[in-house]
Amino acid sequence: RPVELGRAIGAALREQERRLSAGQSILIDETAVDPDAAAALEGYLRAQLAATGRLPTDRTIVVERFRDEIGDLRVCILSPFGMRLHAPWAMALESELATGTGFKTTALASDDGIAMRFVSLNTASSDSDPGDGWRRLFPDPDELLQLVTTALPDTALFGGVFRECAARALLVPRRGPGRRTPLWSQRQKAQGLLAVARGYANFPIVLETLRTCLQDDFDLPGLTTLLRDVASGAIEVHEVATDRASPMARSLVFAYVANFLYADDAPLAERRAQALTLDRALLRDLLGPAALQALLDPEVVAAVEAELQGQSILFQARDPDALHDLLRRLGALTEGELQTRCAGAELKAWLVELTHAGRGFWLSVAGERRYAAAEDVALYRDALGAIAPQEVPAALLAPRPRALDELVIRYCRTHGPFNAERLAARYALAASALAPALDALVARGRLTPGSFLSADGTERCDPDVLRTIRRRSLAGLRNAVAASTPETYSRFLLEWQHVTKPASSAARAEGSELVRVLDQLEGLPLPLSELESRILPARIRGFKPADLDRLAATGELVWVGAGRLGSQDGWVLLLRRERAWLAPVPDNVVPAAGDAARVLDLLARRGACFLTELRAQLELALTTLVGVLADLAWQGLVTNDSLAPLRAFRGGSRLRRDADAARLAGGRWSLVSPANPTAGAAADPEVRRTQLTHQRALQLTGRYGVVAREMAELEGVPGGFQLLLPALRGLDDVGTLRRGYFLDGFMGQQYASVPAIDRLRAVSSAPGDAAPIALSAVDPALVWGGALPWPTVPVDSESGATSRTNPRREVGATVVVSAGSAWFHLPRSGRELTVFPAAEAATQEPERVVATLTALARSHALNGRFTIERVGNSLPTQSPLLSALLAAGFERTPRGLAWEK
């Protein structure tokens, strides 16, 4: 199944899913399916939806986990994209899981997905999952070729293709013409040949087998695009755990069992290929031309060749000595060619001067009159039979035994990619006469063959020249990315942080999408009230605070307090348990004394303790102990297995009764920073600082997609952006990030991940979504007022006074964004509505304005009832938005426009 057909099948399933979710029947009008078959198909799709909640489509991949009858974990990746993508994907998974996790697993690919089985030594345990959810099931696109190439020689496909290639090359002899060789005999002979080839990394039949598999049988470019779309969020991954295999997974599991039922009985040749060694450099050369053809920019090739030829103005000759050096480097040139390489009109005088000094002579080369340096007269004589019409000193006529090779090497060093015909035309030779010299240079590594500008595969290029062209082409690709506007980046960031495409309730129940969202928010201090009421609900449909408690109780999540926020709230940051060492060291903390010191000392000695243990050991009143714990928690010194204590601490002095305090402050308490560093952090301070800097760079990249100075300043990174630069440059060197100018309006150097760049380009070319999105003003997905300043609020046209409102990113404030532009800002009090220019420009679209104001009101109503007393510089009753506000549901009151719904 080609990937194009897979996308079409996925699009059809997406439409059927939409209809079934809406309570409609599937579409059968365009087909000749009879009613019974249609009913069976509809029942099949409904059963799949009931089991997994989603269908595998062109925009959704379903990852299903369940345990089989003997307790082993089965993982099925349901995808419609076809075998040409799934087969290399399965190989990469086997290689990566075996290497990275130590789990020995086997994966079976089909047109409809991939089935895997993880052997569990303890069937009562659920810990046999290789960990980290579905992320390990999607390899890094940049490592895909390496993973597939490593796993390929150990597959049945490799053994079968090797046998075919060997037979085509007549290395598996037949008994006679027209007589068939039994298959078992072919296998044995191919096994013997492979046993011999195992000691030669560049054996041509092995390389041809790899080429056939990687280019003819697999669609690696399509798989790379798919993995990048998953990484960028363009394709959603829906993970679900089921009690038993869903209808679509059953066929994969059945094929899996059938495939391995008699696997160990087959005398497969690929079992002998495990020790096969490969010449990776030669393999890259073999597979590289197609990639280079797409990478090399013809304009860059022309520019590099112009420099090598001295045609670029900076490389032209400006005096006789420079002209002589040019001739020694390029060889003999006609007068017209000399004119294009000399800066000035004194060319003839320079030639006369060089000739009189015996430094240059006119020669007849390839039927043309060319001027050459005196050192090359013998070279052209011995290589081409060229004769100088004037007298040449005998000292310059010494024999040149490898004259033709010297001539070819000089041509290669001063030209871009070329073919034999172009070189032969330069010297009026037959291409066949140059073939031995070119082949010898290729064998010696002096030339690189391939398809650089054409697809015929007959071009050659000097390796140093090719590296220069490739480096400049990559630089050109960086510069070719037009800087995106602030509005485009705003749209991108909302999508990147899953605000425009929140996860479904099924994914929320499973917890996988919540973990994915929390990974982007990791290490960022956020108000607890906004985190649970607006920030996480904007990303997860049906989010409940209990979801965070479950992750904390299972040990996946650690919360750390980062300071009080008034008496009713506080800042909190969330971390993965394995990255708890990233918790910041509290600044300006008064040394603990009294009861606080006793609590810290007890936790340091005993480890995690329940509230009742602390109370019994310390002999403190419960309300006193809870108050001490609250102070230590908001200072970032202690944490708990649940977030319930934080919610209780928001009540402050309201915790008066012992029963209330005990109920709200339960769970195990522990120190945030243990005495011994965790496995993720080194004990050496310098190494720890390096690890912290590296991880902060990764956090910012994962959170914002693009990292600039403004992001570091917004989050208050210790040391600022300058301290992050070494880590960002290192990530750029290894290819994890790219440096460039991606965003307009941001200062200095910018770094972005490859998936973010691709997604940013896609958002730039797509029309903006006008659907309004109401956000908390402290939401990290809001670019306005944070990384970028607020849009300028217009002045009063009559009085000339500026706007009285002063938008701020304060807790409780609400901002509405539409098509990437900020429209309205409402502070926590709800009294002054700031109207940004984008909203004023849309007054001709009353329905859109009403929808935006409705979204604003519903989101801000989470703070309680509010009344707008001013709209910009005017009273609500005098504002042009009065009718839109009333249509959105506001009601007139003596104080202004109230929202009480």
Side-chain angles (χ1 to χ4, degrees):
R1 179 189 299 173
V3 66
E4 293 80 7
L5 177 58
R7 292 195 183 102
I9 293 174
L13 283 173
R14 177 159 47 86
E15 174 61 20
Q16 304 293 11
E17 179 182 6
R18 185 192 65 79
R19 295 182 64 84
L20 292 176
S21 301
Q24 304 172 356
S25 298
I26 64 173
L27 290 172
I28 60 172
D29 298 337
E30 299 84 359
T31 67
V33 176
D34 61 48
D36 291 339
L41 177 59
E42 182 170 346
Y44 177 78
L45 295 180
R46 288 190 183 278
Q48 181 65 30
L49 275 175
T52 60
R54 299 292 297 273
L55 294 181
T57 69
D58 58 336
R59 298 180 184 174
T60 303
I61 293 177
V62 177
V63 177
E64 181 179 352
R65 296 186 290 111
F66 58 93
R67 294 193 173 275
D68 59 17
E69 62 276 8
I70 61 175
D72 289 338
L73 179 68
R74 299 291 185 98
V75 177
C76 292
I77 302 174
L78 305 180
S79 158
F81 293 104
M83 185 71 167
R84 297 192 67 205
L85 267 66
H86 296 159
W89 187 355
M91 292 180 188
L93 284 178
E94 288 183 356
S95 177
E96 188 172 44
L97 289 175
T99 304
T101 67
F103 278 83
K104 177 61 178 175
T105 184
T106 48
L108 174 70
S110 72
D111 279 335
D112 299 313
I114 301 172
M116 292 180 293
R117 171 174 172 262
F118 298 93
V119 178
S120 175
L121 299 179
N122 179 9
T123 57
S125 173
S126 61
D127 297 332
S128 59
D129 191 316
D132 212 14
W134 54 265
R135 290 168 180 77
R136 290 192 178 275
L137 302 180
F138 294 84
D140 186 345
D142 297 329
E143 300 176 0
L144 180 63
L145 179 60
Q146 173 73 19
L147 293 171
V148 175
T149 304
T150 301
L152 185 57
D154 194 23
T155 62
L157 175 65
F158 184 90
V161 174
F162 180 87
R163 185 173 63 249
E164 295 172 0
C165 293
R168 277 200 307 270
L170 304 181
L171 295 180
V172 180
R174 295 184 178 183
R175 296 180 59 188
R179 302 186 64 178
R180 178 180 176 274
T181 303
L183 182 58
W184 65 267
S185 178
Q186 293 181 37
R187 281 179 171 173
Q188 286 188 332
K189 292 179 179 179
Q191 280 184 356
L193 178 62
L194 190 55
V196 176
R198 205 180 301 137
Y200 300 89
N202 58 352
F203 190 73
I205 304 304
V206 173
L207 295 176
E208 174 60 15
T209 303
L210 290 167
R211 188 207 63 79
T212 301
C213 294
L214 295 177
Q215 292 188 342
D216 297 347
D217 296 334
F218 297 161
D219 184 3
L220 290 182
L223 179 56
T224 301
T225 301
L226 173 65
L227 295 176
R228 293 194 190 283
D229 288 343
V230 171
S232 66
I235 293 181
E236 179 186 1
V237 177
H238 175 72
E239 187 186 23
V240 60
T242 57
D243 295 332
R244 59 185 63 86
S246 68
M248 289 186 176
R250 285 174 202 151
S251 60
L252 290 178
V253 173
F254 180 84
Y256 184 96
V257 175
N259 186 73
F260 293 103
L261 193 60
Y262 301 105
D264 292 336
D265 297 336
L268 300 178
E270 67 276 7
R271 296 187 184 278
R272 305 293 300 275
Q274 295 182 4
L276 184 67
T277 58
L278 299 176
D279 187 338
R280 300 289 180 182
L282 185 57
L283 182 60
R284 283 196 300 269
D285 291 341
L286 184 66
L287 299 175
L292 285 174
Q293 184 180 352
L295 173 65
L296 301 186
D297 186 347
E299 294 183 0
V300 173
V301 174
V304 171
E305 185 162 322
E307 293 177 4
L308 295 173
Q309 284 289 305
Q311 293 174 317
S312 178
I313 189 169
L314 294 178
F315 296 86
Q316 291 179 347
R318 288 172 169 76
D319 54 57
D321 292 332
L323 177 59
H324 181 252
D325 292 339
L326 187 71
L327 290 169
R328 294 183 62 184
R329 184 164 53 86
L330 301 181
L333 300 172
T334 65
E335 186 173 356
E337 292 169 341
L338 288 169
Q339 288 284 1
T340 62
R341 291 163 173 81
C342 294
E346 300 86 1
L347 173 62
K348 291 186 178 181
W350 295 351
L351 293 177
V352 171
E353 181 180 341
L354 290 176
T355 303
H356 287 169
R359 300 171 66 188
F361 299 94
W362 287 100
L363 301 175
S364 178
V365 179
E368 293 180 326
R369 185 170 179 264
R370 301 182 187 178
Y371 197 80
E375 294 85 348
D376 292 338
V377 173
L379 175 67
Y380 284 100
R381 179 200 63 192
D382 295 343
L384 305 174
I387 300 175
Q390 63 269 45
E391 190 68 26
V392 178
L396 300 176
L397 299 178
R400 306 286 281 268
R402 303 183 63 87
L404 185 59
D405 287 354
E406 291 185 44
L407 210 61
V408 172
I409 290 175
R410 172 184 287 173
Y411 185 91
C412 300
R413 288 176 175 173
T414 56
H415 289 80
F418 65 93
N419 52 31
E421 289 74 15
R422 180 183 171 191
L423 174 60
R426 175 65 182 171
Y427 298 113
L429 296 173
S432 57
L434 293 173
L438 292 173
D439 293 342
L441 291 173
V442 170
R444 288 155 50 191
R446 301 293 297 273
L447 284 180
T448 301
S451 300
F452 306 112
L453 298 178
S454 62
D456 55 14
T458 62
E459 293 175 306
R460 295 168 177 83
C461 188
D462 181 85
D464 294 333
V465 175
L466 184 60
R467 276 192 290 269
T468 300
I469 295 174
R470 181 178 179 273
R471 185 173 61 250
R472 293 194 186 181
S473 295
L474 286 173
L477 288 176
R478 288 175 177 170
N479 296 332
V481 181
S484 299
T485 63
E487 290 74 18
T488 299
Y489 180 61
S490 176
R491 289 164 48 206
F492 160 82
L493 193 56
L494 291 171
E495 181 179 326
W496 183 259
Q497 294 199 14
H498 314 288
V499 175
T500 53
K501 295 181 180 178
S504 63
S505 57
R508 177 197 64 80
E510 180 63 23
S512 58
E513 285 299 324
L514 178 57
V515 172
R516 183 180 179 182
V517 167
L518 291 178
D519 280 346
Q520 284 192 324
L521 302 178
E522 186 177 43
L524 178 63
L526 295 168
L528 180 63
S529 58
E530 297 286 273
L531 178 69
E532 294 189 331
S533 64
R534 295 207 282 181
I535 295 177
L536 289 179
R539 293 157 171 79
I540 306 289
R541 293 193 185 96
F543 168 80
K544 297 179 181 178
D547 299 335
L548 285 179
D549 292 336
R550 276 195 293 270
L551 290 178
T554 57
E556 292 187 56
L557 183 69
V558 175
W559 61 262
V560 180
R564 291 185 183 273
L565 190 60
S567 61
Q568 302 296 319
D569 204 355
W571 299 93
V572 62
L573 55 89
L574 305 177
L575 298 165
R576 284 287 197 99
R577 174 71 62 177
E578 62 269 22
R579 292 193 287 269
W581 56 276
L582 291 171
V585 178
D587 295 329
N588 302 323
V589 175
V590 178
D595 294 336
R598 295 174 60 201
V599 169
L600 293 177
D601 179 66
L602 180 62
L603 291 177
R605 287 186 289 105
R606 294 179 57 103
C609 296
F610 288 101
L611 192 67
T612 54
E613 296 178 85
L614 293 174
R615 184 183 181 189
Q617 292 290 326
L618 299 173
E619 299 180 353
L620 294 174
L622 190 55
T623 52
T624 302
L625 178 58
V626 169
V628 171
L629 290 173
D631 292 336
L632 295 176
W634 288 125
Q635 292 180 51
L637 299 177
V638 298
T639 185
N640 194 281
D641 292 341
S642 170
L643 275 79
L646 280 185
R647 302 184 191 107
F649 297 158
R650 288 178 55 201
S653 59
R654 290 184 298 174
L655 293 176
R656 293 190 178 91
R657 294 185 301 172
D658 288 0
D660 291 339
R663 178 173 56 84
L664 295 175
R668 296 187 310 164
W669 290 93
S670 61
L671 297 179
V672 171
S673 300
N676 297 319
T678 65
D684 184 89
E686 185 174 351
V687 175
R688 179 179 171 82
R689 282 195 299 271
T690 303
Q691 291 177 333
L692 285 171
T693 304
H694 175 77
Q695 193 62 37
R696 286 192 182 106
L698 293 177
Q699 284 179 343
L700 289 178
T701 305
R703 187 145 50 238
Y704 300 107
V706 182
V707 180
R709 184 179 303 276
E710 287 78 0
M711 286 73 170
E713 293 177 352
L714 175 65
E715 295 203 1
V717 174
F721 185 70
Q722 198 66 29
L723 189 63
L724 289 178
L725 276 179
L728 293 170
R729 289 169 180 162
L731 292 170
D732 179 39
D733 291 340
V734 300
T736 304
L737 301 181
R738 284 186 182 175
R739 185 180 62 184
Y741 186 64
F742 307 106
L743 304 177
D744 192 14
F746 289 79
M747 298 186 299
Q749 301 180 36
Q750 299 174 14
Y751 295 83
S753 62
V754 175
I757 295 173
D758 295 339
R759 196 66 210 138
L760 188 59
R761 290 177 180 171
V763 171
S764 299
S765 59
D769 186 3
I773 299 176
L775 297 170
S776 165
V778 295
D779 195 310
L782 178 66
V783 69
W784 303 107
L788 289 174
W790 295 109
T792 303
V793 179
V795 299
D796 190 331
S797 57
E798 295 182 0
S799 64
T802 58
S803 173
R804 290 175 51 193
T805 58
N806 182 26
R808 290 188 301 167
R809 288 177 68 103
E810 63 178 0
V811 178
T814 305
V815 179
V816 179
V817 178
S818 180
S821 300
W823 279 40
F824 301 109
H825 174 278
L826 197 62
R828 182 182 182 88
S829 64
R831 295 176 180 176
E832 297 183 354
L833 177 65
T834 301
V835 183
F836 294 113
E840 293 192 345
T843 53
Q844 303 301 321
E845 305 176 70
E847 294 181 358
R848 185 179 175 189
V849 175
V850 170
T852 306
L853 288 170
T854 303
L856 170 73
R858 289 175 177 172
S859 176
H860 200 76
L862 297 174
N863 297 326
R865 296 178 295 176
F866 63 96
T867 300
I868 297 178
E869 300 177 3
R870 295 195 67 85
V871 178
N873 293 319
S874 60
L875 296 174
T877 54
Q878 301 172 349
S879 171
L881 295 175
L882 176 60
S883 58
L885 287 164
L886 295 175
F890 287 87
E891 298 179 357
R892 293 177 184 264
T893 67
R895 292 179 53 197
L897 298 179
W899 179 274
E900 298 183 356
K901 295 184 180 181

